[in-house]
Amino acid sequence: AYDALDRYLAGPPDEPTRMADARARLRAMSARLALVHVTSSHPGATIWVDRRELGAAGTAPDTLVLSPGPHLLELTHPAAHDARVEVLAEAGATREVHLEMTPRTGRLRVSVSGVAGAEIEAVSEASGARHPCALDAETALPIGTYRVTVRAEGRSEESFVVQVREDAVESRVATLRAVSRPTGTIVIRADVPGRVRVDGVERAETPARLASIEVGTHRVEVVAAGHRPWAADVEVEDGRVRYVNVSLVPE
């Protein structure tokens, strides 16, 4: 009767008078019954009371109606080691019991071919939990299925699914392809011969056509003997040619 009323009140809303009556009946029963509210670090764990031969008593979280006296509670979960606790159930009282279950773990090792550094993340397909992983080293993970993503600067991203098994090492090698960066061209002309620097690096002498310059803003300088240096920020666009005409001022 307690379980039926509890399920009814946890379900969709019903006629207010009926629900109020159900709550009153549940309070009256709670004052007489020995209740144990069981929670776990692994929701969905199966609850066993005293002996497994009696069958499962429910799944955590759940409130159990027990006979007054001592009882052995056992929780089992496919992703964790079993947990047990003794509890004393008392009539008219509700015991709160929380069991921490130790996860079953395996190990994952990911290497990246031809890349010195990479960021690796494993996402559990069951819970969505994110786990950063070490490169070229074993990382302990709860058993289960994971989508692993490997990223590196200037490289394509690689993603794959791996099954982490208990007390085993799953090894994978990722191959990240180099990604070509968009570039443009700068054409520089000056009224006197001079040297051209881009972002502090000397590149050519005027007149100059500088190809394969990465898209973005670059500091361009022109230096000539007997003249004041010229400098400006030049915006390079993908596949475009940027023309720069420079007039140098004599010292």
Side-chain angles (χ1 to χ4, degrees):
Y2 180 94
D3 289 340
L5 288 171
D6 193 38
R7 287 194 299 271
Y8 167 71
L9 291 172
D14 197 2
E15 197 275 321
T17 303
R18 293 186 61 186
M19 296 193 74
D21 180 64
R23 281 191 287 268
R25 290 172 180 268
L26 200 65
R27 284 194 299 270
M29 288 184 187
S30 299
R32 301 192 305 272
L33 298 174
L35 304 177
V36 178
H37 184 240
V38 182
T39 58
S40 167
S41 57
H42 284 64
T46 302
I47 306 171
W48 310 85
V49 180
D50 296 328
R51 302 191 310 277
R52 293 197 184 187
E53 293 83 353
L54 300 175
T59 56
D62 197 5
T63 300
L64 309 179
V65 180
L66 303 179
S67 58
H71 294 277
L72 175 65
L73 301 186
E74 183 177 10
L75 267 64
T76 59
H77 193 284
H81 295 283
D82 298 350
R84 299 174 181 83
V85 66
E86 290 189 356
V87 61
L88 179 63
E90 297 183 62
T94 301
R95 294 284 187 184
E96 296 288 340
V97 176
H98 178 80
L99 279 83
E100 288 289 335
M101 306 183 73
T102 305
R104 299 180 185 272
T105 60
R107 287 163 290 166
L108 175 66
R109 181 187 181 92
V110 179
S111 302
V112 182
S113 177
V115 178
E119 176 186 332
I120 305 169
E121 183 181 58
V123 180
S124 169
E125 295 204 333
S127 66
R130 298 177 177 274
H131 303 267
C133 299
L135 176 65
D136 291 327
E138 294 178 5
T139 301
L141 296 172
I143 62 172
T145 304
Y146 292 85
R147 177 162 292 279
V148 181
T149 303
V150 185
R151 305 179 183 90
E153 182 69 26
R155 300 278 175 160
S156 62
E157 181 178 290
E158 184 171 331
S159 181
F160 52 86
V161 175
V162 64
Q163 183 74 31
V164 176
R165 297 173 175 83
E166 186 173 10
D167 297 329
V169 179
E170 300 295 329
S171 298
R172 296 291 186 276
V173 178
T175 302
L176 306 184
R177 299 184 305 275
V179 176
S180 58
R181 297 178 180 275
T183 62
T185 300
I186 302 175
V187 174
I188 302 178
R189 300 186 182 97
D191 54 358
V192 296
R195 300 187 308 279
V196 180
R197 298 193 187 105
V198 178
D199 297 328
V201 178
E202 191 163 313
R203 297 291 299 268
E205 292 187 357
T206 60
R209 182 182 181 88
L210 306 177
S212 301
I213 303 296
E214 287 189 8
V215 167
T217 301
H218 297 272
R219 189 67 173 175
V220 178
E221 301 169 86
V222 179
V223 179
H227 293 74
R228 296 178 184 174
W230 176 93
D233 290 330
V234 176
E235 186 71 25
V236 177
E237 298 179 3
D238 186 18
R240 303 288 295 275
V241 178
R242 182 69 185 271
Y243 293 92
V244 180
N245 295 311
V246 178
S247 294
L248 295 177
V249 178
E251 291 284 3

